[in-house]
């Protein structure tokens, strides 16, 4: 068993253990810590110089079917490694930030198992080097999410929300599946292995590339909440229990972006070029239209939900630029956004637990007086998410923007990509507006309803730990982006090369 | 041992059960079911010991009998589903007794129970024959043997109006389809001059046969077999019959009967698809029927509130996916490609696992909660977590969630359809599968989201016998393993 | 013996017979009559089989007996079907006291 | 110590101090304050050491981002411009820290306050020493956050919390342009490093794009240095503790825009149209802010508008041909005397129990003699009394405008020269002279030495700084030529002071009432309207579109379609055997017809 296999299956084993009576919270934390350790070990042993396109490290493969060639195959390239680190960090934080067993009203086993299943699904999808399992693992999260929102979600509409996210993502996955199969058929349909796909991928005719890329863009787009396929996301994140919101918004949503970078773009470069303008228009929808929608939100949870959707626009911008800088920015932003949104949801969960609501008008304000640590950590999270230097988000966004201008270094003529970059930059202002407004409304200002808030306690140490873990990760990468970038460069350069044609 | 020995053994087993029931004066007739299961388990084991037909074996059987891997696979499906149906029947016996016990006070309460355990074994023998039939006559006879047995089994609860109504509906429409079948067979025989499928295929291929007549025969046969597998517009019987029949029989119908219907459809369609002159029309017909079936099956399932009826529509929906595979049958198979037949067989294998798992739970809930409405499943996640988990996995697999057996089936079907360029069928299938997420998860939502209401609120956990527990665990494990490694099933097909 | 009858005559008659049977099934309300019409459809098939059997002569001029074999099976199966079918219909009549198929619709939608 | 150590220590000491306070000594305010003050004193010493370095000095860079050709480093440029600016920053920083030890002595958030100051020192140092645009942008943003934290130090006051938010957001708008500008410069010259851009700038062909790029870079300065139309945040920023106003919102941070333009003066010089625009915006800001200052009653706000006005001068200079040095010179002198004025006002406010309305003061001359005299010196420097530092630097700017033949800008500058003495005289007369008008003013007494010693030092600097320009020697020096400009500005001084004296001596309330000026030309209201439009109206509209159009189309409509077709289709299942038979037959006939024909 390789480390990668361990990391994918450890949460599943933990689920089995929980099912057979092992204490849920302890088991989940042990599994998450073990995964973190394994991920750390892999990072240390990951060679920075990876030579060829599609090369993966720690590869393992178990043949399941000879014809067509189907393998339970895992391995890491640079992108996977970064996303695995993201996943294990967020998983640990999510499990940790889950309420203690006594405070969960309902099936404790289900609560913790669901988080672990979502984590395992994400890890499997990021590590798989076989198209089939790449797709299949992602779906592992579908039913746990459905159950968790339906049972433990907050708000009266939680059932409708659970249905919406499940059906929407289910249909999105089906569209994606159709696209992936079409891709498979175009490559001969004999093998699911990424390596085999890359080997024949260049020969797909241009027309087929365009059609398939469009299907994949829509399919992946739905999973990433690309405008206008985003309606499932904000209410789902708002109403999901904290660990699910953290894992879903932080980690799982990155799958679609990962898929675009890892599968769609290298195999369908002409398709990517052909639909670039469409993607630019849609991502501006994410950033500008949904950014303004975010401003109009009156509840912290939907605000965070929309903000998470909005920020996807920047990742898409990096992807649309298709050059090394932009792609690095995109992947780093996936990491940074994942951590920061998970952090925000964790802290929002803490606020909800204390105040019983996340409606900003009802919350009143001045919470920082009663819970200074919560206020401070939320401030960190808010500033991280609006891209303050020192946090990984800033480095990533800067690269995305430089990436969008890089193609005209020679011509010096502004094109669609650059205009999109300029307009997207306005989103930086928008996100500052809504984040600071929320921070101001909830934490700053005079303390209202003093009596009602008399019993509000600050974060306990258990609650602080996951937040600190995430903040440290964000700042470490923010100060030294090279920590992660060095792993990405070989992989992304190869992809950027294939896009150039 | 040649393959046909198995049918003989199973048939004899059925006779033995009848005789024991008649003469042994059993106090508890469950032992009949145990005996039947034991016998079938042995036969299932023998399935792996079958010796292929020797080249010089001129036994008359081989003139209408095939022992291909595919046939053996479908025999396996028949035997397995019969075993599980018998297991279910044991749990279900209370209801059978209630609706069949003789009116006289002194009569044994199980007086009407014996045949309920014997008849499935006969049906199994018929299904096994169908799996191997390669001749119009043997197809017809084995098909009817199965169908008539099912008439009896569906209407078995003779004091229950629902069961009787189901029986009558099945009887009339089944007989109607038989009429179409034999008329079609007559024409097929007439234009090709043979009863043997291989010879018929050769005749059609040769081009001496009028394509119009051939298509006429095909359409009659399609009507009849469409009825058997539940293809739209011949699906009307399915919801009512599934709902009315005793639950183990519903399970049997939806797995065994459907599987047998498909192997016959596969065999016959191969004959027509082999002929250039008619293949286009035949594929078109399949595509139309598949599209209709996908839409009607999946969409009509959405508003259902009775779980058995929902499973009936789901059965129609799955027929839609299977027909899609037939419609998208590649003309020329390339290396590394799965044929339609393989895909259908795999799909049915996976379908067996998940459907029987679902029906196992349905039967138990019917017995202990006295209801088949989805309402009755509220709170099952709390009161009977084991059964709820089993049903959750069954539903996930039926919905086609990856890493379950059901997903691979759908995956292969999509692959065939996309390979064939049938994009509108793909679209309909995607819509159908999307709707599937809704109606399957509806049950899951009831089990886990909702608190039980009414009588169910006070009900204790549903007791699960060791046999049922073993069956449930086995099915769960198989569903998950097949979800990772389809070779488990594909390897059997060959 | 040449009666001037060709295969087409037989096929036409059997086709009409089949259509009559089908129409009966669709139109009549009495379940017993419907059942009889179903038997009529089987007879139509039988007639077709015999006709083909008679006109598909082999090399030696003898009829092709395969068709007649199927015919006998059909007759046998039909008998079994009637036996079972009538039993069910009787049971239903006891329970519902009607033979009108339009009255049998407790399960729907 | 070698240059590397010195430079990196200057940058990192304040960061370390902030981190230590945040992570460790947060609980003990006294120690935190000492750590912070210690670090700034150390950096002041180090900055003096830095003066010994040659103009070409640079510290070994640290790599931050590296992707093939694209590299962003944290590199320290230690030329004389940076050296001089460091003296200003750390010098005033030290004095403000010391002053704060007294001013914030009893504040509950003292530790937080000093951590914020240290963080600001770190960020500001980063801007000063940056050798490339990306690094400058990083610290640019960090400075914004420091300012946010410090303005909102008393965050439980609504006005402070709002002012902090406003400052950050308005700056973000400027940064939006700044970032695009950086990107365009990068595209045009292929580099983000100042040295390389300077080399490549001659080869840039596309004049339009270059103008656009420079103007967009200038947007950053508009935000940070509070120029029109983004000036609105600075007066509100006075909600912060007064030492913060002195350090950040008068002497250093707001000057960052000017410093940045000076840093890239070669860029501005290459873009004619952009340069003209910069000069005009600077001049307009100077004039409008001065007009607004004439009608303010809050002592800090008067000073804030005067800061705006002086910043307008400096920006104006940056847009002038050969004016950059004059602008930097003014920045240098202004930093001292404006810090002095702010700290002086802080002492006044402290003494009057946090009373800021000048009409509620009066008669402080007797109560607080040291503050009075130092404030007088500061005022003299600001209104450019000949001999004080402010006189020399302002003359330099006005001369530069004259020599550039940019008469519009020159005219604006001269007009401001008339207004500045007027409103400063008004402030001084009302606050310090006459009789105490309230109890608070009556009970005021001189502040403790820890607060007045910095005032004294600054007062000295306010006079002599123009004569000891040190590393900035090249930027400006004391030289007087009789010219039209000089005559007019001296006339302005006399007229302004006399008018102020005449109007305000002995008044108890404002005899002049110009609503337009008092209400800042209603610009805040206008902006509030625009923000409302976007935040509330457009946001709500899109929200409604999202909620009632996109969501239904993508979610509810398909769901409804599937559900309703399900309900329709189930109606086909009538349950009647005859109907089934009929459908069966119909289906069979249609299918046969379809297949056969």
């Amino acid at each position: 068993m390789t480390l990668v296999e361990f990391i994918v299956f450890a949460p599943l084993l933990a689920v089995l253990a929980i099912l057979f009576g092992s204490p849920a919270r302890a088991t989940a934390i042990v599994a998450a810590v073990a995964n973190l350790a394994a991920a750390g070990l892999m990072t240390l042993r990951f060679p920075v110089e990876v030579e060829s396109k599609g090369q993966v490290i720690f590869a393992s493969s178990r043949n399941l079917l000879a014809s067509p060639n189907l393998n339970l195959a895992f391995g890491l390239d640079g992108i996977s490694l970064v996303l695995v680190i993201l996943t294990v960090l967020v998983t640990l934080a999510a499990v940790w930030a889950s309420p203690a067993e006594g405070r969960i009203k309902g099936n404790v086993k289900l609560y913790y198992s669901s988080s672990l299943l979502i984590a395992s699904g994400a890890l499997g999808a990021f590590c798989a080097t076989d198209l089939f399992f790449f797709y299949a693992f992602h779906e592992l999260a579908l039913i746990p999410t459905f159950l968790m929102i339906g049972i433990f979600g907050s708000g009266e509409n939680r059932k409708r929300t659970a249905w919406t996210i499940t059906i929407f993502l289910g249909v999105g996955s089906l569209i994606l599946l159709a696209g992936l199969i079409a891709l498979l058929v175009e490559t001969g349909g004999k093998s699911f292995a990424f390596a085999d796909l890359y080997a024949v991928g260049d020969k797909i005719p241009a027309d087929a590339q365009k059609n398939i890329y469009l299907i994949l863009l829509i399919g992946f787009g739905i999973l990433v909440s690309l405008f206008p396929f985003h309606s499932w996301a904000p209410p789902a994140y708002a109403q999901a229990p904290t660990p699910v919101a953290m894992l879903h918004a932080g980690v799982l949503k990155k799958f679609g972006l990962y898929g675009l970078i890892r599968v769609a773009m290298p195999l369908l470069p002409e398709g990517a070029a052909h639909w670039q303008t469409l993607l630019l228009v849609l991502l501006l929808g994410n950033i500008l239209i949904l950014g303004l929608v975010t401003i109009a939100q009156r509840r912290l949870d939907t605000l965070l939900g929309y903000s998470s959707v909005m920020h996807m626009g920047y990742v898409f911008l990096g992807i649309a630029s298709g050059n090394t800088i932009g792609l690095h920015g995109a992947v780093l932003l996936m990491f940074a956004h994942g951590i920061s949104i998970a952090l925000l949801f964790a802290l929002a969960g803490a606020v909800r637990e204390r105040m019983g609501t996340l409606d900003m008008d009802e919350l009143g304000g001045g919470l920082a007086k009663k819970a200074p640590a919560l206020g401070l950590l939320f401030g960190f999270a808010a500033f991280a998410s609006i891209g303050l230097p020192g946090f990984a988000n800033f480095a990533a966004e800067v690269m995305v923007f430089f990436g969008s201008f890089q193609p005209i270094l020679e011509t010096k003529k502004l094109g669609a990509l650059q205009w999109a970059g300029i307009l997207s930059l306005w989103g930086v202002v928008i996100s500052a507006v809504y984040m600071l407004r929320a921070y101001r409304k909830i934490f700053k200002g005079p303390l209202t309803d003093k009596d009602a808030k008399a019993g509000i306690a600050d974060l306990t140490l258990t609650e602080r730990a996951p937040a600190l873990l995430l903040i440290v990760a964000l700042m470490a990468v923010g100060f030294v982006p090279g920590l992660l970038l060095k792993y990405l460069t070989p992989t992304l350069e190869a992809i950027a090369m294939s896009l150039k044609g | 041992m040649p393959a046909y020995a198995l049918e003989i053994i199973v048939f004899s087993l059925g006779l033995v059960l009848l005789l024991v029931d008649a003469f042994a004066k059993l106090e508890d007739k469950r032992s009949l079911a145990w005996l039947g299961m034991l016998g079938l388990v042995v036969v299932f084991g023998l399935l792996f010991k079958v010796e292929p037909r020797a080249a010089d074996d001129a036994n008359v059987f081989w003139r209408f009998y095939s022992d291909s891997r595919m046939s053996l696979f479908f025999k396996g499906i028949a035997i397995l589903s019969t075993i599980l149906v018998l297991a279910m029947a044991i749990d279900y016996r209370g209801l059978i007794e209630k609706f069949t016990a003789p009116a006289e006070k002194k009569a044994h309460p199980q007086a009407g129970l014996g045949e309920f355990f014997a008849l499935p074994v006969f049906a199994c023998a018929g299904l096994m024959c169908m799996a191997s039939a390669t001749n119009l006559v043997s197809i017809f006879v084995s098909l009817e043997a199965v169908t008539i047995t099912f008439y009896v089994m569906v209407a078995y609860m003779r004091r229950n109006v629902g069961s009787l109504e189901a029986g009558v509906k099945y009887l009339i429409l089944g007989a109607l389809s038989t009429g179409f079948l034999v008329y079609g067979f007559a024409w097929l025989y007439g234009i090709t001059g043979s009863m043997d499928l291989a010879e018929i295929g050769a005749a059609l291929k040769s081009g001496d046969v009028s394509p119009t007549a051939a298509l006429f025969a095909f359409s009659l046969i399609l009507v009849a077999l469409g009825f058997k597998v539940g293809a739209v517009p011949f699906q009307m019987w399915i919801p009512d019959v599934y709902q009315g029949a005793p639950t183990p029989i519903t399970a049997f119908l939806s797995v065994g009967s459907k599987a047998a219907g498909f192997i016959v459809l596969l065999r016959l369609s191969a004959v027509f698809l082999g002929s250039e002159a008619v293949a286009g029309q035949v594929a078109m017909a399949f595509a139309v029927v598949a599209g209709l079936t996908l839409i009607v099956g999946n969409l009509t399932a959405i508003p259902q509130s009775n779980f058995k009826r929902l499973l009936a529509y789901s059965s129609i929906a799955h027929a839609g996916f299977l027909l899609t595979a037939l419609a998208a049958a590649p003309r020329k198979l390339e290396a590394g490609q799965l044929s339609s037949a393989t895909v259908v067989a795999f799909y049915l294998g996976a379908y067996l696992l998940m459907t029987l798992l679902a029906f196992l739970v349905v039967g138990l809930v019917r017995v202990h909660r006295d209801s088949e409405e989805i309402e009755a499943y509220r709170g099952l996640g709390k009161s009977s977590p084991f059964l709820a988990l089993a049903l959750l996995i069954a539903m996930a697999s039926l919905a086609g969630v990856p890493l379950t057996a059901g997903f691979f089936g759908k995956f292969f079907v999509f692959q065939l359809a996309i390979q064939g360029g049938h994009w509108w069928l793909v679209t309909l299938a995607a819509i159908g599968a999307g709707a599937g997420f809704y109606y399957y998860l509806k049950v899951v939502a009831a089990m886990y989201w909702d608190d039980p209401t009414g009588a169910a609120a006070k009900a204790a956990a549903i007791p699960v016998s060791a046999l049922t527990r073993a069956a449930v665990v086995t099915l769960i494990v198989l569903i998950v393993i097949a979800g990772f490694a389809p070779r488990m099933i594909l390897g059997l097909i060959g | 013996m040449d009666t001037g009858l060709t295969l087409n005559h037989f096929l036409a008659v059997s086709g009409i017979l089949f259509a009559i049977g089908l129409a009966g099934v669709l139109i009549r309300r009495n379940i017993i009559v419907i059942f009889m019409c179903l038997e009529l459809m089987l007879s139509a098939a039988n007639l077709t089989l015999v006709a083909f059997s008679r006109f598909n002569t082999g090399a030696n001029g003898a009829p092709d007996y395969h068709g007649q074999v199927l015919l006998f099976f059909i007759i046998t199966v039909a008998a079994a079907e009637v036996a079972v079918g009538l039993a069910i219909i009787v049971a239903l009549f006891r329970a519902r006291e009607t033979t009108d198929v339009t009255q049998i619709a407790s399960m729907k939608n | 110590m070698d240059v590397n150590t010195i430079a990196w220590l200057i940058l990192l000491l304040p960061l370390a101090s902030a981190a230590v306070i945040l992570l460790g000594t947060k609980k003990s305010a006294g120690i935190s304050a000492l750590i912070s003050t210690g670090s700034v004193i150390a950096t002041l010493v180090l900055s003096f050491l830095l003066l010994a370095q040659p103009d070409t000095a640079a510290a070994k860079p640290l790599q931050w981002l590296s992707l093939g050709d694209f590299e962003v480093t944290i590199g320290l440029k230690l030329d004389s411009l940076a050296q001089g600016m460091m003296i200003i920053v750390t010098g005033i920083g030290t004095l403000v820290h010391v002053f704060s030890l007294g001013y914030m002595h009893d504040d509950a958030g003292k530790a937080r306050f000093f951590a914020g100051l240290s963080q600001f020192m770190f960020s500001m140092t980063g801007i000063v020493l940056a050798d490339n645009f990306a690094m400058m942008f990083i610290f640019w943003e960090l400075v914004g956050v420091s300012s946010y934290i410090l303005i909102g130090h008393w965050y439980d006051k609504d006005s402070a919390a709002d002012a902090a938010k406003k400052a950050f957001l308005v700056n973000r708008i400027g940064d939006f342009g700044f970032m695009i500008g950086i990107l365009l410069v990068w595209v045009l010259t292929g580099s983000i490093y100042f040295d390389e851009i300077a080399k490549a700038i001659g080869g840039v062909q596309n004049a339009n794009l270059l103008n656009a790029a420079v103007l967009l870079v200038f947007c950053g300065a508009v935000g940070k240095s509070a120029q029109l139309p983004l000036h609105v945040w600075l007066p509100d920023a006075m909600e912060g503790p007064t030492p913060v106003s002195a350090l950040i919102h008068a002497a250093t941070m707001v000057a960052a825009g000017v410093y940045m333009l000076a840093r890239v003066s070669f860029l501005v010089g290459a873009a004619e149209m952009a340069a003209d625009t910069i000069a005009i915006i600077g001049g307009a800001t100077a004039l409008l802010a001065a007009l607004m200052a004439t009608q303010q009653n809050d002592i800090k706000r008067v000073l804030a508008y005067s800061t705006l006005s002086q910043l307008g001068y400096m920006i104006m200079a940056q847009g002038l041909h050969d004016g950059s040095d004059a602008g930097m010179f003014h920045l240098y002198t202004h930093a001292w005397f404006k810090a002095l004025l702010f700290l002086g006002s802080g002492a006044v406010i402290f003494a009057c129990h946090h009373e800021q309305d000048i009409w509620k003061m009066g008669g402080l001359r007797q109560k607080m003699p040291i503050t009075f005299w130092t404030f007088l010196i500061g005022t003299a420097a600001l209104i450019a009394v000949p001999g004080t530092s402010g006189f020399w630097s302002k003359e330099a700017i006005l001369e530069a405008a004259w020599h550039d033949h940019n008469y519009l800008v020159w005219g604006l500058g001269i007009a401001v020269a008339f207004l500045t003495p007027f409103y400063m005289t008004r402030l001084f007369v009302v606050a310090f002279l006459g009789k105490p008008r309230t109890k608070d003013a009556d009970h005021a007494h001189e502040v403790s030495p820890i607060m007045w010693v910095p005032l004294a030092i600054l007062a000295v600097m306010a006079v002599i700084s123009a004569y000891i320009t040190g590393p900035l020697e090249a930027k400006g020096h004391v030289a007087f030529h009789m010219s039209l400009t000089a005559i007019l500005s001296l006339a302005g001084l006399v007229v302004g002071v006399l008018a102020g004296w005449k109007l305000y001596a002995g008044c108890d309330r404002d005899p002049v009432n110009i609503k337009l000026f008092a209400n800042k030309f209603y610009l805040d209201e206008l902006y509030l309207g625009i923000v409302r439009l976007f935040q509330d109206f457009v946001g709500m509209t899109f929200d409604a579109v999202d909620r009632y159009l996109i969501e239904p189309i993508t979610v509810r409509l398909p769901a409804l379609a599937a559900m309703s077709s399900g309900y329709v289709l189930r109606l086909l299942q009538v349950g009647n055997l005859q109907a089934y038979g009929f459908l069966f037959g119909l289906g069979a006939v249609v299918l046969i017809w379809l297949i056969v024909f």
Side-chain angles (χ1 to χ4, degrees), chain D residues 177-224:
Chain D
F178 192 20
M179 187 72 209
I180 301 174
I182 293 175
L183 289 168
L184 287 180
V185 169
W186 178 59
V187 164
L188 288 170
T189 63
S191 176
I192 53 169
Y193 291 87
F194 298 132
D195 293 346
E196 290 173 26
I197 295 172
K199 274 179 215 143
I201 195 72
V204 173
Q205 308 288 331
N206 193 337
N208 286 335
L209 205 55
L210 182 63
N211 273 318
V214 173
L215 275 180
L216 285 162
V217 167
F218 171 60
C219 273
V222 169
K224 200 65 70 190

Side-chain angles (χ1 to χ4, degrees), chain A residues 433-493:
Chain A
V433 170
Y434 62 70
M435 269 332 281
L436 288 189
R437 212 187 74 162
Y439 190 41
R440 155 82 182 86
K441 276 202 153 180
I442 298 172
F443 291 95
K444 302 292 169 98
L447 192 65
T448 55
D449 309 326
K450 284 205 176 78
D451 298 337
K453 289 176 186 166
I456 304 288
D458 203 357
L459 290 182
T460 61
L461 283 178
T462 321
E463 287 172 308
R464 281 180 216 191
L468 283 175
L469 172 75
L470 296 179
I471 289 177
V472 167
L474 271 183
M475 295 188 73
V477 178
F479 274 80
V480 194
L483 280 181
L484 294 181
L485 290 181
K486 63 180 176 189
Y487 301 114
L488 291 172
T489 305
T491 315
L492 291 178
E493 269 175 357

Side-chain angles (χ1 to χ4, degrees), chain B residues 135-447:
Chain B
N135 179 296
L136 295 184
V137 178
S138 58
I139 289 174
F140 172 73
V141 173
S142 50
L143 192 70
E144 284 306 307
V146 171
T147 309
I148 294 174
T149 320
F150 268 113
Y151 293 156
V152 180
M153 292 193 291
V154 168
Y156 199 85
M157 300 193 290
R158 62 173 189 268
R159 284 185 227 295
N160 178 300
V161 178
S163 177
L164 279 175
E165 182 179 328
V168 169
K169 282 177 174 167
Y170 190 36
L171 172 74
I172 301 295
L173 294 173
L176 187 58
S177 89
T178 306
F180 277 91
L181 184 73
V182 287
Y183 197 51
F185 276 6
W187 271 91
L188 190 56
Y189 159 70
I191 57 176
T192 59
S194 172
M195 288 282 176
D196 185 74
L197 286 184
E199 289 173 21
I200 293 173
L204 287 175
K205 213 170 190 169
S206 69
D208 298 340
V209 177
S210 146
T212 313
L215 285 173
F216 182 60
F218 169 74
S219 50
L220 291 168
I221 293 169
L222 181 61
V223 169
L225 291 176
F227 170 84
K228 294 277 177 239
V229 302
V232 175
F234 315 109
Q235 89 297 0
M236 292 79 84
W237 62 281
I238 289 195
D240 295 357
V241 172
Y242 275 34
Q243 190 184 345
T247 303
I249 303 308
T250 310
F252 205 9
L253 262 181
S254 88
V255 178
S257 167
K258 183 183 292 257
F262 264 103
I263 178 117
V264 172
L265 196 54
L266 272 175
R267 289 239 163 81
L268 282 164
S269 65
V271 164
F272 288 95
L273 287 170
S275 154
E276 285 296 321
V278 298
Q281 288 288 91
V282 169
M284 186 273 297
F286 274 129
V288 170
V289 172
L292 281 174
T293 312
L294 281 169
I295 286 300
V296 171
N298 282 304
L299 294 187
T300 319
I302 291 177
Q304 299 305 323
S305 60
N306 179 299
F307 191 25
K308 252 167 103 183
R309 209 170 167 81
L310 191 152
L311 284 172
Y313 282 105
S314 127
S315 157
I316 299 172
H318 284 286
F321 285 107
L322 288 160
L323 286 166
T324 306
L326 282 178
R331 296 283 167 81
K332 207 167 134 274
L333 213 56
E334 286 173 33
Q337 258 183 6
L338 294 174
S339 72
S340 272
T342 316
V343 170
V344 168
F346 177 87
Y347 199 115
L348 285 167
Y351 182 71
L352 169 137
L353 300 174
M354 55 213 195
T355 310
L356 287 178
L357 181 56
F359 275 112
L360 268 169
V361 180
V362 174
L364 280 171
V365 172
R366 169 74 180 85
V367 171
H368 294 277
R369 294 273 190 274
D370 199 27
S371 172
E372 283 155 359
E373 296 294 314
I374 294 176
E375 284 276 291
Y377 290 79
R378 300 181 87 174
L380 200 67
K382 268 189 205 136
S383 61
S384 304
F386 174 68
L387 290 181
L389 181 67
L391 198 53
L392 167 68
I393 289 172
M395 290 298 113
S397 183
L398 282 167
V401 174
L403 303 184
T404 60
F407 176 68
F408 263 115
K410 284 212 175 70
F411 183 88
F412 291 141
V413 169
F414 271 91
Q415 194 178 1
L416 275 178
I418 290 172
Q419 225 152 33
H422 297 274
W423 278 100
W424 63 271
L425 262 185
V426 174
T427 312
L428 292 180
I431 293 173
F437 281 122
Y438 175 74
Y439 60 79
Y440 291 120
L441 290 182
K442 206 159 82 168
V443 185
V444 175
M447 290 193 299

